[in-house]
Amino acid sequence: AQKVTQAQTEISVVEKEDVTLDCVYETRDTTYYLFWYKQPPSGELVFLIRRNSFDEQNEISGRYSWNFQKSTSSFNFTITASQVVDSAVYFCALLIRAGNMLTFGGGTRLMVKP
Amino acid sequence: NAGVTQTPKFQVLKTGQSMTLQCAQDMNHEYMSWYRQDPGMGLRLIHYSVGAGITDQGEVPNGYNVSRSTTEDFPLRLLSAAPSQTSVYFCASSPGTGVSYEQYFGPGTRLTVT
């Protein structure tokens, strides 16, 4: 069975601080995909990134960066110089190829204060 | 393309009533699924379909029925609503195997059962 754990249920930072959201996953499959989604107060799910299990390269996109480490089964997400607009719930999710369905973590609510 | 559409956006039901949440996609995706989102629990898979005429249960299927008569539509039926089914429901679609595995989410339906 698959499992995704986001141990931080809520994080509060002041604008311009850096913040890292943790994600730890469990699966016995060797082929899988990891995702991060953002859910702003409006409620929709916004896709941020997908990473497959064979690609451990870290990725940077503007103020966002992701650190994938298979050795620790982690896929952490860092926001540099946070902004109020980053306030949202962030979900990490795991997809194994066989089922093509997502297993979500419980989410981390990020509050960025001005 | 409209992407994934869901209707209604909001619904209030009384205990014991039945209703159908509608989901449609115009991307010719093979895979469709329904998730429910409850506070602190992320999204959990209710039912999914890997093609027209094929459905299967996810993590939390009790109290829900689905069918997939066309590629485009994947309705979710609540047979006898219970307060425990108060939640936000998301429908998703995906191209399926061999492609990107990206999940496209609808805007969600907020359901309250009193």
Side-chain angles (χ1 to χ4, degrees):
Chain A
Q2 291 69 240
K3 187 177 179 182
V4 177
T5 302
Q6 296 179 254
Q8 307 148 307
T9 54
E10 207 165 283
I11 300 175
S12 181
V13 299
V14 177
E15 209 170 16
K16 298 184 184 172
E17 283 185 25
D18 299 346
V19 58
T20 295
L21 310 183
D22 297 331
C23 172
V24 174
Y25 62 92
E26 296 175 29
T27 180
R28 291 183 179 176
D29 286 66
T30 55
T31 301
Y32 53 88
Y33 294 78
L34 294 161
F35 296 75
W36 275 95
Y37 288 89
K38 174 182 179 180
Q39 187 176 47
S42 51
E44 74 272 24
L45 286 163
V46 179
F47 167 79
L48 294 178
I49 190 172
R50 174 185 62 250
R51 177 61 86 222
N52 75 53
S53 54
F54 300 108
D55 181 3
E56 285 193 73
Q57 258 190 331
N58 291 333
E59 179 150 343
I60 298 175
S61 176
R63 296 184 297 106
Y64 295 171
S65 62
W66 291 269
N67 180 261
F68 176 30
Q69 291 196 341
K70 284 179 79 169
S71 60
T72 56
S73 297
S74 65
F75 186 43
N76 297 337
F77 172 31
T78 297
I79 302 174
T80 303
S82 59
Q83 299 176 1
V84 172
V85 293
D86 296 326
S87 298
V89 180
Y90 291 86
F91 291 100
C92 180
L94 167 70
L95 183 148
I96 60 169
R97 189 170 59 182
N100 206 47
M101 302 306 148
L102 288 165
T103 298
F104 282 84
T108 297
R109 180 177 300 277
L110 174 65
M111 292 175 290
V112 182
K113 299 177 182 175
Chain B
N1 281 358
V4 180
T5 58
Q6 290 183 239
T7 54
K9 287 186 73 89
F10 301 94
Q11 183 71 49
V12 179
L13 290 178
K14 289 187 164 53
T15 297
Q17 286 185 316
S18 63
M19 80 157 295
T20 299
L21 307 186
Q22 301 291 345
C23 174
Q25 52 92 7
D26 60 0
M27 298 172 281
N28 202 33
H29 286 171
E30 289 183 59
Y31 285 61
M32 295 186 75
S33 49
W34 277 101
Y35 296 84
R36 60 176 287 173
Q37 181 181 11
D38 302 299
M41 303 189 72
L43 281 75
R44 293 180 293 167
L45 183 66
I46 305 171
H47 284 285
Y48 65 97
S49 168
V50 299
I54 307 169
T55 63
D56 207 345
Q57 297 180 351
E59 183 185 352
V60 288
N62 292 344
Y64 307 95
N65 265 3
V66 292
S67 60
R68 183 109 179 261
S69 54
T70 66
T71 300
E72 296 78 20
D73 301 299
F74 190 44
L76 178 72
R77 296 183 190 83
L78 281 70
L79 306 173
S80 178
S84 60
Q85 293 178 305
T86 293
S87 189
V88 180
Y89 293 83
F90 287 96
C91 178
S93 74
S94 171
T97 57
V99 198
S100 68
Y101 301 102
E102 183 167 340
Q103 307 277 316
Y104 295 76
F105 283 89
T109 294
R110 186 175 293 275
L111 175 68
T112 302
V113 183
T114 60

